[in-house]
Amino acid sequence: MAPIARKLVTDVTQLQALVKTVDLDPATIANGAVGLLNEVSASKITGTEDRYSHTDLWDFEANVIGAQEAWTAVKPLVVSRAADLAGTIDQGFSAVLDALQPFQKGDGYVLFTALTPTDTQTLSQLIDALADPLSQVAAIVVTAQ
Amino acid sequence: VTSGPVISRRRLITGGLAAGAGLTVGGLGGYGFARQSQPVSPQTVIEPFYGVHQAGIATAAQERIQFAAFDVLTSKRDELRALLRSWTSAAALMTAGQPVGNPAGDPNAPPSDTGEALGLGPACLTLTFGFGPSLFGGPGPDRFGLAALRPAALADLPPFAHDGLDPAGSNGDLCVQACTEDPQVAFHAIRELARIGRGTVAVRWSQLGFGRTSSTTAAQATPRNLQGFLDGTNNAHGDDELTMDASVWVAASDDPGWMAGGTYLISRRIRMRIEAWDRASLGDQQATIGRNKLSGAPLTGSAEHDTVDLTKVGADGKPVIPLIAHIRLAAPVTNGGIRLLRRGYSFTDGIDNQTGQLDGGLFFVCFQRDPRTGFVPVQTCLAASDALNEYIVHVGSGLFAIPPGTAAGGYIGRTLLG
């Protein structure tokens, strides 16, 4: 396994360097945030992505935090043009992260297999409720440019 | 007994269509005529059951489907043959708008027709029967001594990238496709066939579809699917005999001989990630499909039926129809000229219990002369790179050999079972 692990580290380091060279426009960043939430919706809240380790909630949180970072980057362009929308999105992130709290365990989360259908439905619908207003952002930041 | 089909016959006669054609108004030409002439409702139109090919394939796509796959419970070939004889007789009656028995006979016995289709008319009902790989031994024992007769073209489908198949909602020994203009007529047909077969077969899975997503004749308008796009613009057409003979019907020179005049059906229950699609920008949606959402025109044209120009490059130096756009990867030219007859339907089955999201999408059905050179290479290409994969997942799958049709007095499956 050691050669594979070394290759993984090399690839990740290279990816980190390459990402910094990519020129991102605000609309791409906003749509990227929606894309991260779509991933949660499609494969993390269904337990399919980590079907063997069941660590889906770790990835769930990472995607939400990533989407929040992207949102923070474009938020100044939105606040001045659509303050209500910006408020709704901020609340949406809080609601999702608050709903994850009860499932925290140690420095991580409970396994996906511990979740009931009611739990996954609640989390899934909070993701949808956040991603929908977030999908309005790209059109706003395009006109802001 | 006064029942629906009598009424529908009267309507046919008053509509002036029955003369000379008996009661079997329909077929490709008759059906198109019935659709275009206002006085005759599709509810009263009979699609002929008997013929060289089974109905429900070249037939202009009706608006509704109920599809059912069955497990055969018996291992006796005689009982399987008797079932197919009974199903054929019942299908001939129901497609003519008649009950399969007496809905109100002996008060001490259960009615021999369940009654819910009385008065609804034939409603263009077609019933199409098929045999799954497991009937021929498949992975299990060869219960009916049919292994040597299994068509090579009925090879198990390979696993495709991104498949999320539910085994309980896939495959089956037998299938019945009921297509009609009236959902209750479709339900009645499947229910009666399941009732007639009880003890010999059990329903393995069933799918209801509420709106056709393909036009299967040149005269039909292209419908929209649940993503809001026109779907099936470049579909093979059932009234295009050259294409049907080349790409859909099994020829007499193909192996095995019992399949001559038949075809192969593949069904895929394709769940759409509707919530994610609904928050994709219009530009992303159009780039994903490769067509304009409102007009249905390819991104290289201005009208729906404009030729798809896969070579056109935009001002930004990129292909106008993106390299992973759905219509590029599904195009016959991308797949060695393969044409499939698609006959899919939109479905919804409430919500997904795990996510609370809508459980809906496309119940894809296609027919071809050989799946190994039809659906399999096209789906391999789509599963590998289609941009649409972000918004869909295949959750059910079926593969069935559709034997040829039968004349009156015969039964569907006779060429296989003798």
Side-chain angles (χ1 to χ4, degrees), chain B residues 269-288:
Chain B
R269 187 176 189 272
I270 304 174
R271 170 101 185 268
M272 289 176 181
R273 292 180 176 132
I274 289 174
E275 288 77 4
W277 179 258
D278 290 349
R279 52 184 174 250
S281 71
L282 176 62
D284 281 348
Q285 291 186 5
Q286 295 185 152
T288 297

Side-chain angles (χ1 to χ4, degrees), chain B residues 289-290 298-300 308-310 312 319-325 327-328:
Chain B
I289 303 296
L299 296 181
T300 54
V308 179
D309 183 356
L310 296 175
K312 191 169 178 181
V320 176
I321 295 175
L323 294 176
I324 58 171
I327 63 164
R328 175 187 292 274

